[in-house]
Every structure is written in C-alpha cells, then in structure tokens.
Amino acid sequence: MSAPLASLPPRRLSWQFLRLVTPYWKSANKWQVRGYTLALLLFTLAQVALAIWMNYWSRELFDALEDKSLNDLLMQVGTFVLIFILTMAVTALHMQVKRWLQLDWRRWLTAKVLDQWMTRGHHYQLQLVGGEHDNPDGRIAEDIRIVTESSIGLVHSLVYSLLIFGSFVDILLTVTGSATFPGTAFMVPGYMVILAFAYAGAGTVFGLLLGRPLITATNKLQTAEADFRFGLGRSRSNSESIALMHGEDIERQNAKTFFARLSQRWNRQTLGYLGIVSFSSGYGALLPVFPILLMAPQYIAGGMTLGVLMQAAQAFQKLTSALSWPIDNLGELAHCRASIQRVLSLYNDMQVLDEQASEPQEHRISVAQSTQHELVLRDLCIANPDGLILLEGFNQVVRRGEHVLIAGDPTVTISLFKVVAGLWPWGHGEVWLPEGPAISFLPQRPFLPHASLQSVLSYPQPAEHFTQAAMHHALECAGIAWLAPRLTELDSWDRVLPLRAQQRLGFARLFLQQPAWVFIEEATDAFDPKGEEGMMDMLYRELPNATLLTISFHTGLERHYQRKLLLNRPAQDKYLTCSTSECSLTTAPVTPVVTAAD
C-alpha cells in the first residue's frame, strides 16, 4: 500500500498533511472559517500588545518604588487594573474562538475521512489488504482530535512566539544598549539580545538531543494504546461467545499482554521525558535570575534605573521564551506528529483503494448497472488481494424471477457474494447488475445496529417508511412475532438475541422491504432442517416474484431452486499478476466446475 510515513522527513510529511487539511479553508462555510481564523490572529495580536504594555508598566512600577512616589504607585495600580481586565477579556474571547476552530476543523476532517472509510466498502476492504491502517475507528475518533487540537494550539503558540520575538528584540535593544569590556574600549551593541540567543540556542540544542527518543517512544505508545482499546472493544463485542466458551481467562491474559506492551512503551516514553524534563526544569529556574545577574553591575554603576533593569530582565525572559518554542513544545510536537502519521496512513491507504477502483477494467472486476432485468457475470476471474486465483473463466446469466442455489468451495462462493456486492475488486471481468432497485444482500449474520427494533427492522431505510402493521406481519412471517411488543425498545439486539433469532430478523427485514433481487449467504445455517424448510417456503410465499441467489451447503434445500451452481477453486494454485498494461497468470488456466441442475 502506501509508503511508511514514519520514515518520511518532516517536510514531506507536512506537505502531505497540508494537502489533506487545507481544503477546510475553502469548504462550504469558508467565510465563517476564515472569519474565525482572522479573529484568532487579531486576539493573538492583542495578547502580544498586552504583554508589551505589561512590560512597560513593570518599568514604571519599579521606578515609582525606587523614587518612593505614592502618587505614581497609585497610578500604576489603576493601570494594572485596566491591563488585568483587558487580559481576562482577551484570553476568554481567544479561547472561545480557538476552541470553535478546533471543533469545527475536527468535524470537517472527521467527515472527510469518515466519508472515505464508508465509501465503496473501504471499511471492509482495508481488513484484507496490507498497510498501516490498524484500528481505523481509533484513528478517526482519537487521532483526528489530537491533530486538530494540537495543530491549532501549536500554530497559535508559534505565531505568538514570533510576534513576541519581534517586539521584545526591539525593547531589549532599546533599554540595554551596549556593553563595554572592562579595561578596554571594545563595545558590544545589543549584548543582551546576543546572550538571549545564546541562552535559548543552547537550551534548544540540548533539549533536542535529550528529547530525540521521545518522538519514537510517543508514536509507539499511541499504537500500543490503540491496540489495548481495540482488544477490550473486541472482547466487549464478543462477550456472549466468550462467556459461553468460558474464555475469560484467555481474554484477561490477552488484555494483560496488551497492557504489558503498553507499559513497556510507557516506560520508554518516561525515559524520553526524563532527560528533557530535568533539563527544562533547570533551564526554567535559571531564566528569571540570569538576566538580572548579568545587568546588576550596570545598575549598581548607575547606568540604568531599577525600572529599566526589571523591564530588561522581563524582556529577556520573553525573548528567550519565544526562542525556546521548539524545546517547550517538543512533547506536543511528537504527540501531534504521531497522530498525523496515523491519520495520513489511513487516508492514503483508502486513496490507494480508490486508485485501484479507477484502474483499467482488465486490472480489476468491473461492477456496473445494466439496462436489462438480469444479472450478468462475464469472463469473471476472482482473486485474493495477493493475486491467488479463486475462480476464473466464469460466465453466468441470472434472469428475473430465477431461484439459483450456489454451492461448492466456501471461499469461492463467499467471494462471489462479495464481488456482486461491490466489496471485492481483486481479479478481472464484468458484473452487470440488473436494472432497478439495488440487490438486497443477506449475510450469514445480519447487521443489527444499536437502535429501536423498528429501526433495526427497516435498516437502512428510516422506520417511518413502513407501517406498524407491516412490521408486525414481517415479524410474524419470520417466526419471531413475540418481538412485536418490543418494536419501540432501544437495545443492543446483536447481544440480547440468539443467533437464530438474529437470522430470522434478517428475513423479517426482507419480508418488510420486499426487494426484487436477493442474494443470501448461509443465512439459515443456525436453523434446524424443519425451520430452514419453513423459512424458505415463507420466502417464496412473501416474495413470489423475487430473484433468489442463495449460498448454502445443505443438500435438503435443492428442491427449492431451479438450478444449482457448483463453484470450486482451480485444481492448481495460480496467481494473477497485473502490470500497467495487462494481467497475466503464472500457470495455464484451469476452468472451474460449473453445473446446472433442474
């Protein structure tokens, strides 16, 4: 699939990320988005202006204290109250604007990735192909949140630091002037600015060296966290099977194994943090004292007032903090980069699936809508994602109203089910779907969303499309009329109902929605023979004109069908290899067994 993103240099990773997210500022509500972005910038400018004002206020305050002037002190108290009120107002408005942008950007990016995930069966196909896209639900729910929140926070702090840098360089140059080496006439203009660069530069270099292991450790930790969540979620979704098989000890051990791996990577991240946090603590503790010690001789010699000394010291701190942005945000940068990689890996792999779907027809299975009332399979070759041939040279026409039983190799029959559903593009050939409403597919275990029973029954259509009487009738025909009083109840039906009742609910869905074409995949395997016979008789009674294609390996059902297709894999393993111009087989073709029985 896509190239590993963890090895990409920061510039290429940033470029890919920008290509993904910049359309947000060109989206349908672009003027609102741009307005909030501009407001965020203006409030950032206001924060910088208040910081500058506070710096000059500090100078006036300490000069008033040095002069022992009560009137000047009271005036500075009044000025501080104004600065204090404005600072609170700007901070509150800034936070509101920033959080709106973070949430709205997350909404947009989530919708974009989710649309890709839920398009053309990508959520299913990703499970069958290689690539860095494990735990896609966690990437969409958690990593996109981290990306949007951290990116806006980091960009804001960077812009703020750059503005502070530009402002306080000028202040520091103005108030400190030049320094003369003792006993010489040699002068160093702007010596405090040079020392601020040296202090921040040394801190950044040491911090980057000490924090380098943190990026790799954070990325691995986030993967371990996602694996741990996925394992617990899988145990929850299969709780009934686990309980019936008394598999709690195994699941508990698996969870402990996942957590042990998480703990190991947590400890590695802790080691990564250890060096940088220790250094940052000393670096931060020295920062307020360092400029005062440097300028103390100049103050003692009468070269500056106490107010100027404190203003210069504060400007030095502001300038150094702005220059220290990389080291201060190293942990957040690592966290954000790891999440960007995870989101891009998922999105890029889905883009690859889209590219495969748009390849020439000879490189994939083409599924298209016909203008005829028949299902046509022409020169169909089905392969695994790795190229192993499952079925080849298959031609078949299923006409409206036919009842066709499909048996043989389960791998082949189920892959045919997925090909017709548009979920399996690997191979080549043509599938022409019948004109009119889409084919209804009934898998072995129907999907039952967490919703009211009437919504489950009408899925994927709204429950309002059907009457209560029609729903009662469908449940009765499926042999689960006892569920009718619970139509409005909300529950996890895939957990509260046994498998046989779930399969009957799938048939009730067919009876309610009355499709013209139905493709069934072993949807009666939980039934006893008598129940299976009764369900098939009911299916023909309720859908007398429907075309039925049924995958089943129960020989007792053959009397219900007009013909039977027996599908088997080629006798010899063969692989399909596609270049940019053509596809070829590694061995001579072998025709599959296809029989028809009246």
Side-chain angles (χ1 to χ4, degrees), residues 281-532:
S281 298
Y283 178 86
L286 180 61
L287 181 57
V289 180
F290 184 68
I292 295 177
L293 295 177
L294 288 175
M295 292 182 291
Q298 192 174 357
Y299 167 71
I300 293 172
M304 62 175 60
T305 65
L306 179 60
V308 172
L309 174 65
M310 300 310 296
Q311 182 186 19
Q314 190 182 85
F316 184 93
Q317 292 179 49
K318 288 286 187 182
L319 180 57
T320 306
S321 296
L323 292 170
S324 302
W325 183 87
I327 188 64
D328 291 340
N329 292 279
L330 186 61
E332 188 68 17
L333 284 167
H335 202 48
C336 186
R337 176 185 168 90
S339 290
I340 287 174
Q341 288 175 354
R342 288 172 58 78
V343 173
L344 281 175
S345 294
L346 174 62
Y347 189 79
N348 288 350
D349 285 352
M350 292 190 293
Q351 290 287 94
V352 171
L353 291 176
D354 280 340
E355 291 170 6
Q356 291 177 349
S358 61
E359 286 179 351
Q361 181 176 322
E362 60 269 17
H363 293 186
R364 61 180 174 83
I365 297 174
S366 171
V367 181
Q369 198 77 32
S370 170
T371 58
Q372 306 296 322
H373 296 290
E374 57 188 21
L375 172 66
V376 179
L377 309 174
R378 184 179 300 156
D379 298 326
L380 188 61
C381 172
I382 304 176
N384 274 341
D386 62 359
L388 178 65
I389 300 296
L390 302 177
L391 182 68
E392 60 177 324
F394 185 56
N395 292 275
Q396 198 63 225
V397 177
V398 179
R399 294 177 175 81
R400 176 67 187 272
E402 280 194 285
H403 298 164
V404 181
L405 179 64
I406 303 173
D409 189 317
T411 304
V412 180
T413 57
I414 293 173
S415 65
L416 177 64
F417 179 86
K418 295 170 183 175
V419 165
V420 177
L423 301 177
W424 196 279
W426 299 286
H428 61 80
E430 300 176 357
V431 176
W432 291 94
L433 301 176
E435 183 183 27
I439 298 176
S440 288
F441 293 88
L442 183 58
Q444 185 178 34
R445 187 163 187 167
F447 174 62
L448 308 179
H450 183 81
S452 65
L453 185 58
Q454 60 186 3
S455 296
V456 172
L457 194 56
S458 62
Y459 186 86
Q461 302 181 48
E464 295 77 20
H465 284 193
F466 305 97
T467 65
Q468 292 287 309
M471 292 184 182
H472 281 261
H473 178 72
L475 292 173
E476 183 179 357
C477 291
I480 47 176
W482 51 273
L483 284 174
R486 305 181 64 184
L487 277 173
T488 58
E489 288 187 24
L490 182 72
D491 211 333
S492 298
W493 302 102
D494 57 339
R495 295 208 299 266
V496 302
L497 295 179
L499 179 57
R500 184 178 301 181
Q502 292 182 42
Q503 291 188 334
R504 288 185 178 274
L505 194 53
F507 279 98
R509 193 179 278 165
L510 295 179
F511 299 147
L512 178 66
Q513 300 181 17
Q514 294 286 303
W517 289 75
V518 183
F519 204 147
I520 302 173
E521 177 207 353
E522 298 184 84
T524 57
D525 64 337
F527 289 39
D528 56 48
K530 183 178 179 181
E532 192 173 35

Side-chain angles (χ1 to χ4, degrees), residues 1 20 108-129 132-142 144 230 236 342-354 422-423 447 459:
M1 300 294 289
L20 173 65
W108 177 86
L109 185 56
T110 299
K112 183 172 184 175
V113 178
L114 193 60
D115 286 347
Q116 278 286 93
W117 193 44
M118 285 295 176
T119 298
R120 301 177 184 175
H122 287 168
H123 56 93
Y124 171 76
Q125 294 170 354
L126 283 173
Q127 303 176 55
L128 306 174
V129 296
E132 299 177 6
H133 48 248
D134 57 313
N135 305 323
D137 51 340
R139 294 171 189 248
I140 294 173
E142 182 65 13
I144 287 180
F230 178 78
R236 176 185 56 80
R342 288 172 58 78
V343 173
L344 281 175
S345 294
L346 174 62
Y347 189 79
N348 288 350
D349 285 352
M350 292 190 293
Q351 290 287 94
V352 171
L353 291 176
D354 280 340
L423 301 177
F447 174 62
Y459 186 86

Side-chain angles (χ1 to χ4, degrees), residues 165 168-169 172-173 176 190-204 283 287 290-291 294 312-324:
F165 169 78
F168 283 89
V169 159
L172 200 55
L173 284 171
T176 58
Y191 73 101
M192 289 300 294
V193 173
I194 295 173
L195 289 173
F197 271 92
Y199 189 91
T204 299
Y283 178 86
L287 181 57
F290 184 68
L294 288 175
Q314 190 182 85
F316 184 93
Q317 292 179 49
K318 288 286 187 182
L319 180 57
T320 306
S321 296
L323 292 170
S324 302

Side-chain angles (χ1 to χ4, degrees), residues 121-237:
H122 287 168
H123 56 93
Y124 171 76
Q125 294 170 354
L126 283 173
Q127 303 176 55
L128 306 174
V129 296
E132 299 177 6
H133 48 248
D134 57 313
N135 305 323
D137 51 340
R139 294 171 189 248
I140 294 173
E142 182 65 13
D143 286 304
I144 287 180
R145 180 190 66 80
I146 294 171
V147 166
T148 51
E149 290 183 6
S150 295
S151 295
I152 289 178
L154 287 168
V155 169
H156 161 257
S157 64
L158 177 60
V159 171
Y160 178 80
S161 296
L162 291 174
L163 292 172
I164 287 290
F165 169 78
S167 302
F168 283 89
V169 159
D170 182 64
I171 292 173
L172 200 55
L173 284 171
T174 302
V175 300
T176 58
S178 303
T180 303
F181 281 93
T184 70
F186 183 71
M187 298 182 63
V188 181
Y191 73 101
M192 289 300 294
V193 173
I194 295 173
L195 289 173
F197 271 92
Y199 189 91
T204 299
V205 170
F206 280 108
L208 289 175
L209 291 175
L210 292 171
R212 182 176 293 176
L214 186 62
I215 296 176
T216 302
T218 299
N219 193 2
K220 292 182 177 180
L221 176 61
Q222 286 184 238
T223 300
E225 292 276 10
D227 290 341
F228 182 57
R229 289 195 304 270
F230 178 78
L232 294 178
R234 189 170 178 273
S235 297
R236 176 185 56 80
S237 61

Side-chain angles (χ1 to χ4, degrees), residues 68-95:
K68 297 182 174 60
S69 173
L70 183 59
N71 289 335
D72 289 346
L73 178 61
L74 293 175
M75 185 180 295
Q76 294 312 311
V77 171
T79 303
F80 177 76
V81 170
L82 180 58
I83 296 174
F84 179 73
I85 293 172
L86 289 175
T87 300
M88 287 196 302
V90 169
T91 302
L93 292 171
H94 171 269
M95 185 191 69

